[in-house]
Amino acid sequence: MRCVAQLTAEWREPAEVLSAYAEEPWALGLVSGAPGEPGRWSYLARDPDATLMVRAGARRDPFAALSELLGPSSPGLAGGPPFQGGVVGLASYEFADWVEPLGLARQAAWPDLAAARYLSVLAFDREAQAIVAIGRGADEGAALARARAALSWLDAIPQAPRRGALTDGLINSDAAAYEAAVAQVVERIHAGEIFQANIARAWTGRLAGDARPFDVFARLVGQSAAPFAAYLRLPGLALVSNSPERFVAVRGGAVETRPIKGTRPRGRTPGEDVALAAELLASDKDRAENLMIVDLMRNDLARVCAPGSVRAPELFAVESFANVHHLVSTVVGRLAPGKGAVDLLRAAFPPGSITGAPKVQAMKTIASLETPRGPYCGSLFWAGFDGDLDSSVLIRTAAFALDEGGWSLEARAGAGIVADSDPHAERLETEAKISALARALEGACA
């Protein structure tokens, strides 16, 4: 798709625009409400021209299929939005079996990989308060026609947000069982089997009445903005994510990952909030936990980056979100000649921050203690026609499946377990992490 065209329109909130067609298969929203990059740009897309579904047992290498779907690199418009059309993909956690064959069990409903190629995109520039409609095509006429098609999405009548509780209640996994699992992981660490493992617990429920997964997404965007909020509608399935965490990104060959490890809840008063952030920053345990994953991600990036280019320019930055403080580090590198975005995905998947160290052994530990994760702790990514990439870690995420009774849902929250982890404290951390999503599901919208 060598030619690119763009048209502009006045600002509208992306979630409002998406509400008009959110029930279409492959309707997509990537909405960032955080300040600064990547908070400036949000994207909507629909009606892909090609799709890819990969399930366990597929004969073809899914990374090769993904590269074929993306096609040869084609430059974008200088100064335009970072994503100017390309492939958006949902890689479930068990997609890891294609990187390191472990015989992971699967959730029946969810594919390992669901990807779609979008030739039309609406890019929302929050900084300039403008919308850019992007179209791709084999010639200028085709590109302009697709940009006009994207612009026409703004004409659809938005749907009003649903008020009231979106679920009749969430059922969470047994607290004592989770604490026992944490204690078991601590024992394995002391036995020398692993250094760290991220263990999660599940919350399940059903949407009430005529509530839609999109209602959950719209409420989250309004109540607790996150850098990597996302909505993806698949046939019979839907994903809603309010993730704060970048997995891997490529911009002009420069690579970045920003792993999160270390959490405290937000305080009930300004003074308590400041104290909790300071406690997190000063915690030797949380710094050690974070540094283990930094080292793991440095190793993953080094597989596809030029020798000597991988480094960690920032360690242990405290970032604050609606319900938690997090400890975040940054690792960067530069792709080696001949390596691209898909190579980076293969080298780094699944994200180290939600597996542990060593990664493969931590994954075996997770598989022995959890049911299949499905989308949770996988990644939602866009890969541009120009070779750039961005991706999230699918935490703070709910997975929805449609059946005869309506929409069922599952959400999980986990904690990184290390040698001195306290099972009760780790269980409380999972509850702090799930709180914004639970509030959106169970609370009433004024």
Side-chain angles (χ1 to χ4, degrees):
M1 297 299 164
R2 298 185 305 275
C3 293
V4 192
Q6 71 172 18
L7 299 168
T8 59
E10 295 182 356
W11 175 261
R12 296 257 304 277
E13 285 294 333
E16 176 192 26
V17 176
L18 179 57
S19 70
Y21 62 91
E23 299 310 302
E24 291 181 8
W26 300 99
L28 169 74
L30 305 174
V31 180
S32 180
E37 291 291 349
R40 176 180 174 182
W41 292 99
S42 296
Y43 306 97
L44 302 184
R46 64 194 290 200
D47 192 24
D49 79 315
T51 62
L52 171 67
M53 285 275 199
V54 176
R55 294 188 177 272
R59 294 184 178 182
R60 190 175 178 207
D61 174 17
F63 292 99
L66 190 59
S67 293
E68 184 178 303
L69 183 65
L70 187 59
S73 180
S74 176
L77 296 168
F83 180 50
Q84 299 181 25
V87 170
V88 174
L90 165 62
S92 294
Y93 173 80
E94 284 77 26
F95 188 56
D97 229 13
W98 295 95
V99 178
E100 184 70 37
L102 296 176
L104 298 176
R106 308 299 210 270
Q107 288 190 11
W110 288 92
D112 289 355
L113 175 69
R117 184 173 61 203
Y118 296 96
L119 305 183
S120 301
V121 175
L122 284 181
F124 293 72
D125 186 348
R126 190 170 296 275
E127 183 178 290
Q129 289 289 285
I131 300 172
V132 181
I134 299 288
R136 288 272 185 168
D139 55 48
E140 291 182 7
L144 186 58
R146 289 196 173 102
R148 286 177 178 145
L151 206 61
S152 73
W153 305 344
L154 299 172
D155 298 333
I157 299 173
Q159 293 197 23
R162 190 183 191 278
R163 303 188 184 280
L166 301 178
T167 178
D168 295 327
L170 293 176
I171 301 171
N172 59 37
S173 59
D174 183 84
Y178 181 75
E179 292 187 15
V182 172
Q184 185 180 146
V185 173
V186 171
E187 290 179 4
R188 294 186 183 191
I189 292 170
H190 285 293
E193 183 180 327
I194 50 176
F195 301 114
Q196 179 182 161
N198 193 88
I199 303 302
R201 55 193 292 226
W203 282 257
T204 59
R206 301 191 71 86
L207 290 185
D210 61 349
R212 307 177 298 163
F214 177 79
D215 296 320
V216 183
F217 172 73
R219 192 171 292 184
L220 281 169
V221 167
Q223 292 180 352
S224 54
F228 294 95
Y231 171 85
L232 178 62
R233 181 71 155 85
L234 299 174
L237 301 168
L239 178 89
V240 171
S241 182
N242 203 40
S243 175
E245 184 172 2
R246 169 172 281 156
F247 174 31
V248 288
V250 177
R251 192 79 189 268
V255 176
E256 180 184 81
T257 181
R258 303 190 74 243
I260 288 175
K261 267 286 163 264
T263 304
R264 291 293 185 280
R266 297 300 301 263
R268 290 166 291 184
T269 66
E272 183 184 42
D273 196 54
V274 170
L276 285 165
E279 176 188 300
L280 175 61
L281 184 60
S283 168
D284 290 338
K285 170 189 176 293
D286 289 289
R287 283 173 172 254
E289 184 181 338
N290 189 287
L291 190 59
M292 283 186 214
I293 303 305
V294 167
D295 287 343
L296 188 156
M297 295 307 298
R298 285 169 58 124
N299 181 69
D300 285 351
L301 264 58
R303 296 173 182 170
V304 291
C305 285
S309 71
V310 177
R311 56 192 180 87
E314 184 176 32
L315 295 173
F316 317 135
V318 174
E319 294 188 1
S320 300
F321 299 90
N323 56 324
V324 291
H325 301 289
H326 277 314
L327 210 58
V328 185
S329 293
T330 302
V331 183
V332 299
R334 177 158 288 279
L335 286 177
K339 298 296 184 181
V342 175
D343 298 304
L344 176 62
L345 285 174
R346 187 195 291 266
F349 196 86
S353 63
I354 49 72
T355 49
K359 183 188 281 190
V360 172
Q361 192 59 39
M363 290 169 61
K364 292 178 181 178
T365 299
I366 291 166
S368 72
L369 295 171
E370 292 185 36
T371 58
R373 287 177 165 181
Y376 175 71
C377 287
S379 179
L380 191 69
F381 62 89
W382 62 254
F385 290 123
D386 58 0
D388 287 353
L389 168 87
D390 208 351
S391 59
S392 69
V393 180
L394 287 176
I395 54 176
R396 315 305 186 306
T397 295
F400 299 84
L402 187 62
D403 56 33
E404 293 180 357
W407 288 100
S408 65
L409 72 95
E410 180 186 271
R412 301 192 191 197
I417 312 306
V418 292
D420 54 352
S421 285
D422 172 66
H424 181 68
E426 301 293 358
R427 193 255 295 175
L428 293 180
E429 181 176 314
T430 68
E431 291 166 7
K433 288 174 175 176
I434 202 72
S435 62
L437 182 55
R439 188 166 58 249
L441 282 161
E442 297 178 327
C445 180

